[in-house]
Amino acid sequence: MIEIKALTKTFHTRTGTLTALDNINLSIHDGEIFGIIGLSGAGKSTLVRCINLLERPDAGEVWLDGRDLMKLSNRELLEVRRGIGMIFQSYNLLEQRTVLRNVLFPLEISHTPRDKARERAKELLELVGLADKADAYPSQLSGGQKQRVAIARALATQPRYLLCDEATSALDPNTTASILELLQVINRTMGVTIVVITHEMAVIDKICHRVAVIDKSHIVEMGAVNEVFANPQSDIARELILPHVKTTASVRGGPRVRLVFNGESSYSPVVSNLVLECGVPVNILFADTKDLDGKAFGHILLELPDDPRQSGRVIAWLDRNHPSYSLEVQ
Amino acid sequence: MFSDLLKQLVESGILFRAIWETVYMTLLSTLIAYIIGLPLGVILSVTAPSGVRPIPWLNRLLGVIVNIFRSIPFIVLMVAMLPVAKLVVGTSLGNAAMVVMLVIAAAPYIARMVESSIKEVNAGVIEAAQAMGTSQFRLITRVLLPEARPSLVVGAVISTVTVLGYSAMAATIGGGGLGAIAITWGYQRSKEDITWVCVILIVIVVQVMQEVGMRIARRIDKRARQ
Ligand SMILES: Nc1ncnc2c1ncn2[C@@H]1O[C@H](COP(=O)(O)OP(=O)(O)OP(=O)(O)O)[C@@H](O)[C@H]1O
Ligand SMILES: [Mg+2]
């Protein structure tokens, strides 16, 4: 279990002092995937770096499995870090080492016998699906492959914890999905507790059990992912989960309609037909749709004109032509 | 077209000996200078404010010493270091004394080269290694130096060529090499062809060193797709 108590971290720079984290309290339970989400500069990276004391807090405590990390000697701290894997947005592989020797690195550091180390490294490359790339260099790999190597390397010393700082932020959606699946497998089959830092709600939604929302150095909300998603309390959580709610695109402020596409129709003509047939302009506030085999999935949020006669016409049209829509309450 | 003197120099083997002396002095001096400059450069980069183990007073002290030696022109440094050469190799004349001078001049230069190579190592890679529980000593030996290797080799090539340039001044303290031939035979006896032959030979030696070194650097750098 990771416990963070009343943690505060301030940076002193030439331009003044900056409080990156202010009175952070949280516990991460064994076996869970814990998400930390927030906008850029919120303090997410600083917070994970405090977990393995890459960054030393100014005040507060960091406890890992009942040990107060701040009280450990340097030597003990190195030992503790070997039990915490970490992966990064920029992969951070050793560029002059092959894939296999990258995975061997933490094993060299922890004085694992050579034969055992090689065996373990090969197993891990098998696990992440890169056994055939053992002798390649990082520069010869794609982003997704590099992150897989980084994961294999992070798991080499059989850590009980894995910290992921924006591990998928540089990857395309498909690769992101496959990396997230891999993390899930690691969590389920190896029982590794995973801390996921991200600014993408989709990542939290996909794999996390619990989530903490961090904004301007504070945790503003924390709880089970489905609860936070269903009923976000803080402005920042609402903004992250429902990106349209705070949008200011509307100047007329009419009713809002959400069109949902679940594969029954193709979305492209709907909006244009609506506009043409009703003769009413609408505002597209938000759209998240995918075209799979010619079928539309996702949703579009429309803002209708303020004039009730015009908006009434649109709603009547939708009743006839596009049954899956809902009026948004504001 | 060529003077008899040049023919004599070639036939007697003096010219070939000079080439060998230049190469030998350059390589030996650079090698010894690295024994001092490499650790110095590592300490400079590691103890810097942005380094993995900042020690401000030590960094500043070494920085000042290195800068003093680097700012003295070689010819002045050579005169000033005559007693040191005498102390180290028992004489302040000849090739052995010249090697001492070259080492003194090159070591601080190499320290700066090494420092800048190590500072180029990706901060993220260092952070990842620290997160894995790497001790500071191993961070230097297993991460910083190996990751900086291609850049270190390029630095070594540049340093070697610089030392070669300095070694041409060996004649001023009675040493040998191509520089000595150019001065004692070419300049003092006004045989211009000898001077030019020496210049061309030095250019060739520099080119060969440069080419071989850069080829090695390219070959060992795994960042480029192969
Ligand atoms: N070493 C440092 N020195 C000074 N300020 C820092 C340092 N590290 C972080 N900060 C500041 O602390 C704040 C939080 O930074 P942090 O990197 O934790 O944000 P983040 O939430 O991870 O953002 P991002 O999503 O962009 O990675 C920022 O304002 C940043 O400028
Ligand atoms: Mg960050």
Side-chain angles (χ1 to χ4, degrees), chain A residues 46-237:
Chain A
T46 309
L47 180 54
V48 267
R49 289 163 53 81
C50 282
I51 294 177
N52 54 14
L53 293 197
L54 280 179
E55 209 76 78
R56 273 196 109 81
D58 301 302
E61 295 165 15
V62 181
W63 290 73
L64 191 95
D65 298 333
R67 291 169 90 190
D68 183 351
L69 298 192
M70 302 274 280
K71 297 230 167 73
L72 298 184
S73 68
N74 275 340
R75 217 196 163 82
E76 288 169 319
L77 182 59
L78 293 184
E79 202 60 52
V80 165
R81 282 183 183 162
R82 286 168 201 164
I84 311 175
M86 190 166 185
I87 57 173
F88 307 83
Q89 176 172 359
S90 48
Y91 324 119
N92 295 347
L93 298 177
L94 294 149
E95 295 186 288
Q96 305 294 342
R97 280 181 173 235
T98 61
V99 164
L100 182 68
R101 291 192 60 231
N102 261 282
V103 182
L104 282 172
F105 181 83
L107 297 165
E108 284 170 23
I109 295 304
S110 63
H111 307 281
T112 310
R114 216 168 240 267
D115 293 349
K116 243 180 98 187
R118 284 186 79 86
E119 203 177 303
R120 171 106 188 110
K122 292 209 163 130
E123 261 169 43
L124 282 161
L125 285 179
E126 201 80 54
L127 173 80
V128 301
L130 286 176
D132 57 326
K133 296 280 184 199
D135 296 323
Y137 284 90
S139 63
Q140 299 165 319
L141 303 180
S142 70
Q145 289 172 329
K146 283 186 208 174
Q147 198 59 287
R148 283 166 184 276
V149 176
I151 290 172
R153 183 176 69 172
L155 295 175
T157 47
Q158 294 182 292
R160 297 188 46 217
Y161 300 93
L162 180 62
L163 311 177
C164 313
D165 189 355
E166 306 265 11
T168 57
S169 299
L171 303 173
D172 66 53
N174 287 338
T175 316
T176 295
S178 75
I179 295 288
L180 293 180
E181 268 160 38
L182 178 60
L183 291 178
Q184 255 172 336
V185 168
I186 288 161
N187 172 256
R188 286 199 196 119
T189 62
M190 305 164 81
V192 177
T193 306
I194 300 181
V195 181
V196 174
I197 301 283
T198 182
H199 59 259
E200 291 170 300
M201 216 58 202
V203 171
I204 302 280
D205 189 22
K206 184 135 195 251
I207 65 167
C208 294
H209 305 128
R210 287 198 306 142
V211 61
V213 182
I214 182 167
D215 184 35
K216 301 193 186 80
S217 327
H218 294 272
I219 291 187
V220 291
E221 195 162 346
M222 182 154 53
V225 168
N226 46 16
E227 279 164 28
V228 172
F229 265 62
N231 195 7
Q233 299 296 313
S234 56
D235 286 346
I236 191 77

Side-chain angles (χ1 to χ4, degrees), chain A residues 11 13 18 20 39-46 166:
Chain A
F11 289 110
T13 59
L18 188 145
L39 300 176
S40 185
K44 306 180 296 291
S45 295
T46 309
E166 306 265 11

Side-chain angles (χ1 to χ4, degrees), chain B residues 96-110:
Chain B
M98 193 61 196
V99 170
V100 176
M101 309 295 186
L102 290 173
V103 169
I104 294 170
Y109 182 81
I110 288 168

